[in-house]
Amino acid sequence: MSLFSPQSANGSVFSGWLMPAALLLLLATALLSVTQGPMSIPVSDALVALLPFEFASDAPAHYQLVVTGIRLPRTLLCIAVGAILAMCGAVMQGLFRNPLADPGIIGVSSGSAAGAAVAIVLIGLIDWQLPEFVSALAIPLFAFIGGFVTTILVYRLGTTPNGTSVVMMLLAGIAIGALSGAGIGLLSYLANDQMLRDLSLWQMGSLAGATWSNIALATVTLVILCVVFMRKAKALNALLLGEAEAGHLGIKVQQLKSQLIFFTALGVGIAVSVSGLIGFVGLVVPHLVRMLMGPNHQRLIPFSALLGAALLLLADLISRLVISPAELPVGIVTALVGAPFFIFLLLQQRQRIA
Amino acid sequence: MSNSNSIQLSNIQLSLGSKQLFSDLSVNFHAGQHTALLGANGAGKSSLLKLICGDRKQHGGEINILGQQREAWDKPELSRHLAVLPQSSELSFAFSVSEVVALGLLNSKLSYQQQQVVVKQQLELMDIWHYRDTPYPQLSGGEKQRVHYARVTAQLATTPVEQQILLLDEPTSALDLSHQQVLMEHASKLSQQGATVISVVHDLNLASRYCQRILLLKHGEMCADGEPEKVLTQANIHQVFDYQAQILRHPEQDFPVII
């Protein structure tokens, strides 16, 4: 049962105090992310460092470098990736009409990771003298292709003339996830030490590699996804009734499903390519939002984006602080929180079936 | 529309797997009439509804809805004319009851306030207004069925009644005695106002009482078609259901009662 019914007199999902509260939460976590780390920086000095012009201040000069050179890119990437992963999770759960569906579960994430692994090992093995921007773009591109091919394959396997079978699609996702895992394992035998380190870092997920090109890629993707998913929010609500019922309500169901699959694959592929495998954000965040304000996608999608960004910022902060000055891959932090949550959800479903 | 035939099925062929269900079925449904589809399991009742609403595609023949080929209809446009009450729904997400009913107005051009008025009307009609904020999964099976009936009637609410088509697939199977009457009475009232209503029912007495026309199906063939008095005879019922029925008259209202 939802704790709040933030439906106001005019029916807008953005009125009321919840949206400002969520924005404030995001702002606060972003500020924490910029100021906290192995070296703590006072908020005022951090804000001064963020100003686009010179400002007379007696703060140490290296604050500027730490804030704008290291922490700001990382924070921005974190926001984009967290929002993308949470939104894609919310949409996939609607698509499958199952709150357990998650980009990781239908194999899109592992497909992307396999693509990335191919790129890492190929570039290392062949040792072409490639221009730097080509090799920098190769990994995102291969990750996207891997995720996209996986999604199409899962979709084909799960689709029958009478519509899409959710069970078949989930099973196909499991099979392809296993295949991707085997592929990455195989590649790791071809890899040298440096590649192995890259691969394992990739598989655990990290936001340490934030570059401005990655940020731009993720931000553009985020904007596209926001527009597409918000336009499909009402149709997604109808889809929760079942495919036949959604069709009776005038939804072009096959077309809707194809679009949603394409754009979730895009989102997950890009997210994996810029930050590796960060699991469970797409599972935990939409679930929390549904508990707070119900399953209506017109609310679920924007609030998942905001909360996903805030939670990934917190997870990233924890990953930087617990063994400071070294850091944990953020994927370990999200898995430590998300996997028990997943088990808790499984237990709930089991009780419901029993 | 040239005549009162709101739905025309001509020379329909349909196979389910290797089994041919309809070989050459032609039947019309009329505006202002509540028609019951009766028959044993597997007779083709639900398949007929699925053909009309487009869930199944015929392998031959033509289906016209309100004077236009079904395939030629714009889907959102058709959804304002034709609504389907499913036997059951797989909805498991915790929408509130009024949110579920409002889903019926997805393609309407009503403002939010106008939608809320329609939702309230339909909920009061089905006697579930007091559940408006209750999460749908917490309702009983019969209450859920009433929520969906409110949803599909809301879906048609903005269309002139003569152009409304309501398909009900076993609408009363989960309902208690009094709500069976409430629902069937409402459906019949809609048909008297001019809507086309087609119900798949298993309760012969509900069909006899509330429907003006009964179609008796057996193995994809039409065995009988007409008013309840003419169709619900001992011979017909024996032929279709292999059951020796007794036919009485209702003591107060004039319709056959089958025991």
Side-chain angles (χ1 to χ4, degrees):
Chain A
M1 181 172 171
S2 57
L3 297 176
F4 313 104
S5 270
Q7 200 91 341
S8 65
N10 62 12
S12 166
V13 295
F14 293 111
S15 50
W17 56 273
L18 281 167
M19 186 52 87
L23 282 168
L24 210 64
L25 177 69
L26 177 58
L27 201 68
T29 47
L31 213 55
L32 271 179
S33 170
V34 170
T35 56
Q36 300 306 307
M39 182 179 70
S40 177
I41 295 174
V43 173
S44 57
D45 289 342
L47 288 177
V48 166
L50 286 174
L51 290 176
F53 49 84
E54 291 290 325
F55 188 84
S57 108
D58 49 6
H62 62 271
Y63 278 9
Q64 176 81 31
L65 185 68
V66 170
V67 169
T68 58
I70 300 172
R71 292 201 185 149
L72 180 65
R74 187 170 184 148
T75 301
L76 291 177
L77 188 67
C78 212
I79 290 173
V81 169
I84 289 174
L85 287 176
M87 275 200 305
C88 288
V91 169
M92 276 190 178
Q93 285 144 28
L95 185 65
F96 293 130
R97 299 184 292 287
N98 189 326
L100 296 182
D102 171 83
I105 291 170
I106 75 156
V108 184
S109 302
S110 46
S112 299
V118 168
I120 291 172
V121 173
L122 268 189
I123 289 172
L125 278 184
I126 296 175
D127 198 23
W128 283 322
Q129 294 304 310
L130 292 172
E132 198 171 326
F133 77 94
V134 174
S135 48
L137 275 179
I139 293 171
L141 184 69
F142 271 65
F144 166 65
I145 292 172
F148 191 63
V149 169
T150 305
T151 313
I152 290 175
L153 211 58
V154 174
Y155 186 67
R156 281 285 167 87
L157 279 170
T159 313
T160 65
N162 298 325
T164 303
S165 152
V166 171
V167 174
M168 269 305 290
M169 209 153 164
L170 290 176
L171 289 175
I174 291 170
I176 287 173
L179 199 63
S180 302
I184 296 175
L186 211 60
L187 283 169
S188 68
Y189 278 94
L190 300 172
N192 60 28
D193 277 359
Q194 178 55 43
M195 295 176 208
L196 271 181
R197 233 188 311 279
D198 282 351
L199 275 178
S200 63
L201 206 67
W202 193 277
Q203 281 178 281
M204 286 186 286
S206 167
L207 292 147
T211 63
W212 287 106
S213 62
N214 278 349
I215 293 166
L217 191 63
T219 307
V220 170
T221 309
L222 174 62
V223 171
I224 294 172
L225 293 188
C226 283
V227 172
V228 172
F229 289 161
M230 280 311 284
R231 288 178 59 154
K232 302 291 172 198
K234 274 181 158 184
L236 261 168
N237 286 341
L239 198 59
L240 293 185
L241 289 169
E243 288 182 17
E245 279 70 47
H248 300 155
L249 285 168
I251 308 290
K252 294 175 182 115
V253 175
Q254 290 299 335
Q255 188 187 326
L256 174 72
K257 287 195 299 184
S258 310
Q259 288 169 341
L260 293 178
I261 285 171
F262 176 87
F263 283 104
T264 46
L266 178 73
V268 175
I270 295 298
V272 169
S273 79
V274 298
S275 59
L277 281 178
I278 301 176
F280 299 103
V281 177
L283 181 80
V284 173
V285 173
H287 216 91
L288 290 177
V289 177
R290 271 192 215 97
M291 281 196 318
L292 287 173
M293 53 190 85
N296 184 346
H297 286 88
Q298 289 170 293
R299 287 193 289 271
L300 179 63
I301 289 169
F303 278 98
S304 288
L306 290 172
L307 227 62
L311 278 187
L312 194 57
L313 281 170
L314 278 181
D316 183 54
L317 197 62
I318 292 171
S319 81
R320 281 188 276 151
L321 290 177
V322 277
I323 52 167
S324 165
E327 58 179 67
L328 276 174
V330 69
I332 290 182
V333 178
T334 60
L336 277 175
V337 177
F341 188 81
F342 186 54
I343 293 170
F344 163 74
L345 290 180
L346 283 176
L347 279 173
Q348 265 194 334
Q349 293 246 327
R350 195 162 148 250
Q351 278 168 355
R352 203 175 298 159
I353 293 164
Chain B
M1 245 185 359
S2 54
N3 52 35
S4 68
N5 283 347
S6 50
I7 303 172
Q8 294 172 295
L9 290 91
S10 323
N11 314 106
I12 296 298
Q13 294 164 21
L14 179 73
S15 303
L16 303 177
S18 58
K19 183 172 148 260
Q20 186 164 54
L21 183 61
F22 300 130
S23 55
D24 184 24
L25 182 77
S26 294
V27 56
N28 296 335
F29 295 94
H30 313 296
Q33 213 171 42
H34 186 175
T35 306
L37 301 180
L38 294 183
N41 296 328
K45 309 179 297 286
S46 289
S47 294
L48 195 57
L49 280 197
K50 286 192 172 124
L51 281 170
I52 296 170
C53 69
D55 283 354
R56 268 191 204 292
K57 215 173 148 12
Q58 69 273 22
H59 299 119
E62 202 181 287
I63 297 174
N64 271 288
I65 292 171
L66 297 170
Q68 193 176 333
Q69 258 195 318
R70 197 199 61 207
E71 291 78 13
W73 273 93
D74 170 55
K75 274 196 97 170
E77 176 67 22
L78 182 61
S79 75
R80 285 189 284 269
H81 291 280
L82 189 152
V84 188
L85 180 72
Q87 275 183 34
S88 61
S89 166
E90 59 173 291
L91 180 62
S92 61
F93 285 78
F95 282 118
S96 72
V97 163
S98 49
E99 278 179 318
V100 176
V101 177
L103 284 177
L105 294 162
L106 189 81
N107 273 311
S108 77
K109 297 180 174 89
L110 300 181
S111 71
Y112 178 76
Q113 278 84 1
Q114 291 169 318
Q115 290 191 13
Q116 293 311 101
V117 172
V118 175
V119 168
K120 183 169 190 227
Q121 278 171 353
Q122 305 306 322
L123 284 175
E124 282 175 340
L125 198 79
M126 290 319 288
D127 196 15
I128 38 177
W129 173 241
H130 52 290
Y131 284 142
R132 61 191 174 278
D133 293 325
T134 306
Y136 168 88
Q138 290 180 10
L139 301 182
S140 74
E143 288 161 349
K144 286 178 180 170
Q145 188 74 348
R146 281 145 66 195
V147 172
H148 286 292
Y149 185 79
R151 170 173 69 78
V152 296
T153 49
Q155 187 183 336
L156 300 175
T158 56
T159 304
V161 72
E162 312 79 51
Q163 300 208 8
Q164 295 181 5
I165 297 172
L166 191 57
L167 307 181
L168 308 174
D169 196 356
E170 300 189 22
T172 57
S173 53
L175 298 186
D176 61 50
L177 202 55
S178 79
H179 287 107
Q180 289 183 1
Q181 313 294 326
V182 170
L183 189 149
M184 290 301 276
E185 215 160 276
H186 180 264
S188 290
K189 205 156 74 190
L190 270 184
S191 73
Q192 280 155 22
Q193 289 164 1
T196 311
V197 183
I198 306 174
S199 303
V200 169
V201 274
H202 280 300
D203 186 330
L204 301 185
N205 291 314
L206 278 178
S208 163
R209 177 165 185 181
Y210 290 108
C211 300
Q212 290 89 56
R213 178 186 175 197
I214 290 178
L215 273 180
L216 214 49
L217 286 167
K218 186 181 186 183
H219 302 315
E221 303 273 344
M222 243 187 322
C223 295
D225 176 6
E227 292 165 20
E229 284 81 13
K230 298 201 177 108
V231 173
L232 294 176
T233 62
Q234 250 181 346
N236 279 341
I237 290 171
H238 185 256
Q239 188 199 346
V240 170
F241 296 102
D242 197 20
Y243 174 76
Q244 275 302 337
Q246 300 259 16
I247 316 281
L248 311 174
R249 300 297 298 181
H250 191 277
E252 284 156 24
Q253 287 147 307
D254 191 37
F255 61 85
V257 176
I258 296 93
I259 54 174

